[in-house]
Amino acid sequence: MTLTLRRKTLVVRTLVAAIGASFASGCAVDPATGKPSFKETFASDDPCSQNARNIGIGVGVLAGAILGKQVGGDNKGLLIGGALGGLVGGLIGNDIDKRRCELSKIAKQYQLDVQVTTLDTQGEAITGADSAKAKQETAGSVVEIRDPAGAGGHFESNSDQLTARARDYFTAIAATYDVRKSAADIQDPNLRKQYLEKMAQRKLLLVGHTDDTGSSRLNADLSERRARAVSRFMQEHGVAAGSLYFQGAGEFYPVASNETEEGRAKNRRVEIAELSDKASFDNYLAARRPRVEFYRQDKGDATETTATAGQATSGTAATQGGVRARNTRTARHGTSNSDGAATTSTTSTSASTAGNTKAKAGAVATAPAETTPASAPAAAKAAATDGGNWIDFGGAPLVASMQTAAIGKVESKRPFFSLISPAYADEPPVLADCTRDRPRASHSVKALADGKTYRTSEHIPGLYGKTWTDQVNGHQVVVNRIAVLASDGSLSSPPEFKVYKNYDASRRSNIKPDVALQPEVNTYLGSKGLLYRIFLKGQAGLQCADIVFDSNGGSAARAGRLVYLRANTPYAADFKPKMYQ
């Protein structure tokens, strides 16, 4: 008994001494005063500081002490658990610090633009200015990698093949994520084992981003192939396949305006998100927010050509977010560079399965309060002929309105996604009404090991594949399979849209719809509701539809409207579908 107690005491002393030495070596001084500094220790701006290690030690001590107390039932268990937790936490934090330092050297060597942000368990940034967050657990980081314009790009033009130069710097980057190299430096076998067990829970997400030139669908497809290629490259260079995930986000998450070449260059990037475990990974995915104010609105430029509504072919996209069918558009459909969007001469009309946008602000109300004439973009688009093939939904001419549906605001939790204040004065134009918007495609997160989609949550109540319907001026409008995930409001599956003209319930058996579409959809999730935006391609004059649901779903839409062409003029009718029982 005495021998056992002596051994425990020796272990405690050894571990406490080790963790004390770790803290002492990690405590940084302010260069101006020469004294120990909390900011320099936990929130330094120096890329080669040991901030993450120090945070990991502190939180590891706390977590380990709690676990040790529960297992050991006495103060000795608390001390042993705290010491072990501190050492493991310090090692994991040390990985992040070493990686940030190495990445700064790689960026300098290859003249790359590399931005690193440390994350806590909620997917929120730990910034140098936020000392309170520095006391929380370091759960991972996000690394944004851009190759400056003119430097060659990460990939060959319109390809998922890395350039020779990119293979060199991605080899160096992959080495910083190789757990085996870090484990080899740990001398104690038990500590090495705990470290490897902890790191086996780690998840790495490779995300490909483009600017918004070219086809949104082709951009998403190309960026997914590129993200998969980088994740496979990481696997080939020592990163376990089971920890790797990839996503082709396309133009979905801009960080700068696409109106300028400088902004487009910033949006073309590869992102590596590293999270310590599944819970942190799920929190990170749920907290992501697109910068909707950087979405370019569809203005119906004079450079566009028109097409008869309802007669667009695969060569033109009818009314993507508006009344006019597109043909070649020089401003947004030019040839990409090696790291830009996909080259295309026309806009794709294929149905999107990933219009999973979340908005920072509201959406249109069911009926505008003003009587102002239609906005300039909508009026310009109204030049397209409807050929007399339209359905009258009994609405009124579409008017400009700043009134929004009360879906609240959704603000990013991470400063690196929101570099400007979220409290901007004007609503983003794309949210004013659906005629100013266009479908934006983004693929889901997928596992490299099996290619399966990664799900983070259940569906919003009521929005799990059910049928919703409303009668508008005697015509039955049906939306089948509305399915939206609860965590981030992303589209779970594409819907069907049908219209039964002059619907007669007594003759409803064996009738065929007059309109049957598989439309593209954008979703915008706010703190108080969800905007479900449908793009209807111009068939029978139909342009787009907005439906506003409560945050908790329910059985009836709170608001909505249907936009269609009548005699070459855009009209809007109330559209508030209910769940079909």
Side-chain angles (χ1 to χ4, degrees):
M1 190 71 164
T2 304
L3 181 60
T4 302
L5 180 60
R6 288 177 178 174
R7 286 177 177 173
K8 285 186 176 181
T9 303
L10 180 61
V11 169
V12 171
R13 288 176 177 173
T14 301
L15 291 174
V16 170
I19 198 168
S22 295
F23 263 122
S25 64
C27 187
V29 298
D30 188 331
T33 64
K35 297 181 179 180
S37 166
F38 180 89
K39 180 181 184 299
E40 293 301 318
T41 302
F42 293 104
S44 174
D45 296 325
D46 180 1
C48 291
S49 69
Q50 294 181 317
N51 292 169
R53 189 202 68 164
N54 296 334
I55 296 169
I57 290 174
V59 176
V61 167
L62 179 61
I66 294 173
L67 180 60
K69 179 68 174 179
Q70 292 174 344
V71 175
D74 55 18
N75 290 333
K76 294 183 180 64
L78 185 147
L79 288 172
I80 293 173
L84 286 172
L87 288 175
V88 174
L91 288 170
I92 294 171
N94 189 54
D95 276 355
I96 296 174
D97 288 332
K98 287 172 59 180
R99 184 172 304 111
R100 181 175 55 199
C101 183
E102 289 302 313
L103 287 173
S104 69
K105 297 175 182 177
I106 294 169
K108 184 176 181 180
Q109 178 182 354
Y110 291 96
Q111 298 182 329
L112 299 172
D113 177 8
V114 176
Q115 303 293 327
V116 182
T117 303
T118 306
L119 303 177
D120 64 17
T121 56
Q122 299 305 309
E124 298 182 20
I126 300 175
T127 67
D130 195 346
S131 59
K133 284 186 179 179
K135 299 176 184 178
Q136 301 178 29
E137 180 179 359
T138 296
S141 64
V142 170
V143 178
E144 295 182 9
I145 306 167
R146 300 178 185 84
D147 199 7
H154 301 315
F155 304 91
E156 301 292 347
S157 181
N158 293 315
S159 167
D160 58 8
Q161 298 298 311
L162 289 166
T163 63
R165 174 170 166 273
R167 291 181 68 86
D168 288 342
Y169 58 72
F170 273 115
T171 296
I173 290 170
T176 70
Y177 289 94
D178 189 346
V179 174
R180 297 171 303 179
K181 293 184 177 181
S182 298
D185 295 332
I186 303 174
Q187 300 302 316
D188 184 272
N190 291 326
L191 191 58
R192 186 188 310 118
K193 179 182 177 183
Q194 290 189 48
Y195 169 77
L196 289 173
E197 288 175 351
K198 179 66 176 177
M199 294 306 289
Q201 303 175 38
R202 182 181 68 168
K203 295 185 182 296
L204 288 175
L205 172 63
L206 282 296
V207 186
H209 299 272
T210 72
D211 58 38
D212 73 348
T213 57
S215 160
S216 183
R217 168 55 53 186
L218 295 181
N219 286 344
D221 292 346
L222 178 60
S223 64
E224 181 178 71
R225 294 199 305 273
R226 288 176 168 179
R228 183 191 290 112
V230 177
S231 61
R232 284 176 176 167
F233 190 84
M234 298 277 281
Q235 179 192 3
E236 293 168 1
H237 288 79
V239 181
S243 68
L244 286 165
Y245 297 80
F246 63 91
Q247 181 185 27
E251 66 182 76
F252 206 71
Y253 292 104
V255 292
S257 172
N258 282 297
E259 298 287 352
T260 66
E261 177 51 41
E262 180 183 5
R264 291 190 290 274
K266 290 181 179 179
N267 290 331
R268 298 190 293 264
R269 65 199 191 278
V270 170
E271 207 169 70
I272 306 175
E274 176 192 20
L275 282 304
S276 61
D277 52 36
K278 183 180 186 302
S280 299
F281 189 56
D282 291 351
N283 288 338
Y284 167 77
L285 296 179
R288 289 192 298 178
R289 299 291 185 271
R291 298 287 300 277
V292 182
E293 69 272 23
F294 291 147
Y295 282 176
R296 285 198 282 184
Q297 67 172 313
D298 193 353
K299 299 179 180 180
D301 295 341
T303 57
E304 294 177 318
T305 60
T306 63
T308 300
Q311 297 179 354
T313 66
S314 60
T316 59
T319 64
Q320 288 199 13
V323 176
R324 170 169 291 176
R326 280 200 192 84
N327 202 329
T328 304
R329 184 175 181 180
T330 57
R332 295 177 67 168
H333 294 267
T335 302
S336 71
N337 63 24
S338 59
D339 242 8
T343 301
T344 179
S345 61
T346 58
T347 303
S348 170
T349 59
S350 61
S352 167
T353 61
N356 55 347
T357 312
K358 287 188 295 186
K360 293 183 97 175
V364 296
T366 53
E370 300 89 349
T371 58
T372 310
S375 64
K381 293 174 186 177
T385 176
D386 57 39
N389 181 26
W390 58 276
I391 298 175
D392 186 2
F393 291 96
L398 180 66
V399 298
S401 173
M402 291 307 295
Q403 183 176 350
T404 60
I407 67 169
K409 290 188 176 182
V410 179
E411 300 173 358
S412 174
K413 295 182 178 180
R414 295 188 298 280
F416 59 92
F417 281 135
S418 292
L419 301 178
I420 63 174
S421 170
Y424 47 85
D426 297 327
E427 301 289 356
V430 296
L431 296 181
D433 60 66
C434 58
T435 66
R436 300 188 184 196
D437 203 357
R438 70 186 185 108
R440 289 176 173 83
S442 172
H443 287 297
S444 57
V445 174
K446 297 175 182 176
L448 179 64
D450 57 16
K452 293 183 178 179
T453 297
Y454 184 85
R455 293 295 187 200
T456 61
S457 72
E458 299 298 326
H459 294 87
I460 293 176
L463 306 183
Y464 50 89
K466 292 293 185 177
T467 294
W468 293 70
T469 183
D470 188 21
Q471 194 164 99
V472 184
N473 198 33
H475 313 301
Q476 200 70 28
V477 182
V478 178
V479 188
N480 290 323
R481 300 200 302 263
I482 293 182
V484 180
L485 297 178
S487 61
D488 58 357
S490 63
L491 194 70
S492 176
S493 61
E496 290 180 335
F497 183 91
K498 297 180 179 180
V499 178
Y500 297 85
K501 190 175 179 180
N502 300 320
Y503 180 73
D504 183 353
S506 65
R507 299 175 54 250
R508 64 183 181 179
S509 61
N510 298 321
I511 60 173
K512 294 182 179 180
D514 296 272
V515 175
L517 298 170
Q518 288 189 323
E520 297 181 90
V521 173
N522 290 349
T523 55
Y524 298 86
L525 181 64
S527 58
K528 300 179 181 178
L530 171 83
L531 170 63
Y532 191 90
R533 176 163 287 171
I534 309 171
F535 300 92
L536 297 173
K537 304 182 180 180
Q539 185 171 337
L542 287 161
Q543 305 306 309
C544 52
D546 280 345
I547 308 173
V548 178
F549 297 100
D550 286 326
S551 298
N552 59 356
S555 59
R558 190 171 70 207
R561 70 180 179 186
L562 190 66
V563 178
Y564 62 101
L565 275 184
R566 175 181 176 180
N568 303 329
T569 300
Y571 275 64
D574 285 354
F575 177 49
K576 292 186 284 187
K578 296 180 180 179
M579 188 192 302
Y580 181 75
Q581 303 296 334

